[in-house]
Amino acid sequence: MCRFLRFSCIAAILAISLAPLAHSLERQASSVYHARRVALAAKLHGGVAVLFAAEEPALDFMPYRQDEDFYYLTGWNEPGAALLIVADAGQVQTAGAQTADAQTPRTYKEILFLPTRDLRMEKYTGAKLDAVSPGVAEATGVDAVQPMTELPAVLNRLIDSDRRLLRNVWAQPESAQAKALMGFTAVTLGQDANASTRDATTLTQQLRVVKDAGEIALLRKAAAASIEAQRVMMRAAKPGVTERALAGKMTAAWFEGGCERVAYAPIVGSGINSTTLHYSENTRTLEDGDILLVDAACEYSMYASDITRTVPVNGHFTARQREIYNIVLGAQQAAIDAFVAGKSKINDRDRRDPDSLDNAAYNYINTHGKDLHGQPLGQYWLHGLGHMMGIDVHDPADYPAVLKPGMVFTIEPGVYIPEEKLGVRIECDFLVGADGKLIDLDAALPHTAEDIEAAMQGK
Ligand code: GLY
Ligand code: MN
């Protein structure tokens, strides 16, 4: 019968064989990851990159999260894999025993090595694909897929054909797997087992800092679910509710919105806890008259959101809370107004730098309002204005970073006055558009004190 229904049979077989992927993350097109690998190869100075996937967590009931660079380059979300990228090096002088002094071309090559399946572990963590699973080439989108057992032999042959490559292998700097592989490879080539690698993350950082359209779409989905969760929080906050219960309601909204996990430990700080920057115990019970700072957002298919809103627990800011709130909002607006694509910098604490957005916000805070002793408020803002955001909520960047089209970053000024049990932070995520204009990814969430009060009444 299959002869007549060949296509549906193939589809059925593929569907069964790819079943482990059914609940996986939303991947971009395979061509996108391929282009990233080619772009990385162009930065390798004719060398080789070997990147390893994250290991499964030691406690197998903890959720798995892929290594960020590995995910960026492959979209592959299973543990134990390795990616080899060989850069195009044109004609190279080879010095292998069989090919002394020959000229051979070394052209771009990419191989994904998949580990031998652990059928016992799969009883706990679910089925995985290996190099001989049907449909694995299509599923991975990498030019070649081989068993992990081949990796040492492939690397040995590659370096043997051009011994200079031993000093041009790029890997994740803290990777125990890379160290083991390089030690073994060096020994098999009669070299010092302490062969070092170059830091591949310095190169992936350069690529990751500018987001493509697919990444922006995922960031928007993370933002949408995070915005909805913040709205849930605004409706649920009232005296008698615990900080943790609010975190729980937000967690439900994130999961309902399709997110797989929090982007960072939720910060739900009421009263004095609002002045602790990364407070995440979330154990206090909200009281009438408290301010409540909620810095909490989720991750959608590996891409983060990072949102802070500060609300009055009883639904109405006091005059002093409103005053400080408006100063922090004014500082955020001062940074937005000062923004010039290709010129402005984020996380720049050099107070003399006219291009620093941190300075624009700091100057606003320090020239508006006073503390209880008549002193300016600048001293109550302790952290940088923002950071890059992407696969990591704090995406890697060289700070101070000049902001260019395609970059996504936070603007999050704050004022924290423990003496008044009053901490206010307002954090939104911004994309620099192709036209150089800022796009607020969290525009749908209330920003002003009045809009927050309305949202707390379900409006
Ligand atoms: N939202 C936490 C932070 O950016 O540090
Ligand atoms: Mn942040």
Side-chain angles (χ1 to χ4, degrees):
M1 192 168 111
C2 257
R3 245 179 333 138
F4 306 109
L5 294 171
R6 202 164 50 169
F7 290 115
S8 48
C9 277
I10 289 173
I13 290 165
L14 266 180
I16 292 164
S17 60
L18 298 182
L21 298 179
H23 302 289
S24 61
L25 306 172
E26 188 177 321
R27 265 173 67 94
Q28 294 184 246
S30 290
S31 58
V32 171
Y33 301 105
H34 190 271
R36 291 176 190 163
R37 296 190 290 271
V38 171
L40 177 63
K43 294 179 179 294
L44 294 176
H45 302 282
V48 173
V50 190
L51 287 104
F52 284 86
E55 290 296 297
E56 221 145 15
L59 297 170
D60 61 30
F61 47 81
M62 297 294 283
Y64 178 73
R65 189 172 194 267
Q66 184 56 280
D67 174 85
E68 294 177 359
D69 291 308
F70 193 89
Y71 192 79
Y72 178 77
L73 293 167
T74 62
W76 188 248
N77 195 38
E78 292 190 2
L83 174 69
L84 178 76
I85 298 175
V86 180
D88 202 325
Q91 298 283 93
V92 292
Q93 189 77 34
T94 57
Q98 309 301 319
T99 56
D101 300 330
Q103 294 274 333
T104 50
R106 188 163 68 241
T107 52
Y108 176 82
K109 190 191 295 195
E110 55 174 42
I111 306 173
L112 184 70
F113 295 91
L114 295 182
T116 308
R117 288 174 66 183
D118 181 342
L119 299 181
R120 183 178 173 279
M121 185 51 90
E122 287 185 12
K123 295 276 182 215
Y124 289 82
T125 61
K128 305 287 188 294
L129 298 188
D130 67 10
V132 295
S133 300
V136 73
E138 295 76 17
T140 66
V142 179
D143 289 351
V145 181
Q146 293 191 24
M148 182 64 94
T149 47
E150 290 301 310
L151 174 56
V154 169
L155 192 62
N156 177 300
R157 283 196 295 275
L158 204 55
I159 298 177
D160 183 45
S161 72
D162 178 1
R163 294 264 169 161
R164 293 167 305 176
L165 272 181
L166 197 57
R167 289 184 299 283
N168 204 6
V169 177
W170 300 75
Q172 295 124 313
E174 305 303 330
S175 166
Q177 297 95 320
K179 281 194 180 68
L181 174 68
M182 283 309 291
F184 182 75
T185 303
V187 167
T188 60
L189 292 164
Q191 303 288 324
D192 181 352
N194 292 318
S196 60
T197 53
R198 303 174 78 176
D199 184 354
T201 65
T202 61
L203 306 179
T204 50
Q205 172 185 310
Q206 294 167 27
L207 300 174
R208 283 172 56 183
V209 76
V210 173
K211 274 65 185 177
D212 62 36
E215 291 183 289
I216 291 164
L218 296 173
L219 286 163
R220 283 189 183 280
K221 289 184 181 179
S226 300
I227 287 168
E228 178 53 27
Q230 286 273 354
R231 284 189 178 280
V232 165
M233 175 279 291
M234 288 177 193
R235 290 195 292 271
K238 54 175 178 291
V241 173
T242 64
E243 295 165 343
R244 190 168 289 154
L246 286 181
K249 287 182 193 303
M250 296 184 81
T251 304
W254 293 326
F255 286 177
E256 280 164 18
C259 287
E260 68 271 15
R261 63 173 79 84
V262 296
Y264 49 95
I267 297 165
V268 184
S270 60
I272 187 68
N273 296 335
S274 66
T275 65
T276 301
L277 301 184
H278 279 182
Y279 169 79
S280 59
E281 279 179 29
N282 302 342
T283 47
R284 188 171 172 275
T285 301
L286 277 51
E287 291 178 13
D288 193 7
D290 282 345
I291 198 80
L292 172 67
L293 185 157
V294 180
D295 182 346
C298 63
E299 198 174 282
Y300 184 94
S301 288
M302 292 293 283
Y303 282 80
S305 175
D306 187 1
I307 302 179
T308 310
R309 285 295 183 269
T310 306
V311 309
V313 163
N314 64 15
H316 300 283
F317 288 100
T318 65
R320 178 62 169 166
Q321 289 168 350
R322 190 182 304 274
E323 180 195 5
I324 298 298
Y325 188 95
N326 284 335
I327 290 170
V328 175
L329 189 66
Q332 191 188 52
Q333 192 60 47
I336 293 167
D337 292 344
F339 178 78
V340 180
K343 200 164 182 291
S344 295
K345 294 178 202 153
I346 192 86
N347 211 343
D348 179 358
R349 314 267 189 105
D350 177 354
R351 294 271 172 247
R352 291 155 305 171
D353 186 348
D355 296 326
S356 162
L357 295 184
D358 296 58
N359 284 349
Y362 176 85
N363 291 338
Y364 189 94
I365 287 173
N366 211 37
T367 54
H368 289 77
K370 293 277 188 294
D371 70 6
L372 295 181
H373 312 283
Q375 296 303 308
L377 296 176
Q379 61 180 307
Y380 297 99
W381 179 24
L382 311 170
H383 51 81
L385 181 63
H387 51 84
M388 299 297 175
M389 193 183 78
I391 293 180
D392 198 309
V393 66
H394 288 187
D395 239 14
D398 261 337
Y399 292 116
V402 176
L403 297 160
K404 299 178 183 156
M407 292 185 177
V408 174
F409 66 102
T410 67
I411 301 183
E412 49 177 305
V415 168
Y416 314 92
I417 313 175
E419 189 180 5
E420 298 186 57
K421 298 189 176 133
L422 177 51
V424 175
R425 178 161 66 249
I426 303 170
E427 176 174 28
C428 302
D429 309 321
F430 292 87
L431 162 68
V432 185
D435 59 1
K437 295 218 170 73
L438 279 185
I439 299 163
D440 182 355
L441 298 179
D442 311 322
L445 190 62
H447 289 58
T448 66
E450 294 69 33
D451 286 350
I452 281 176
E453 288 173 337
M456 293 184 80
Q457 288 163 33
K459 292 182 192 154

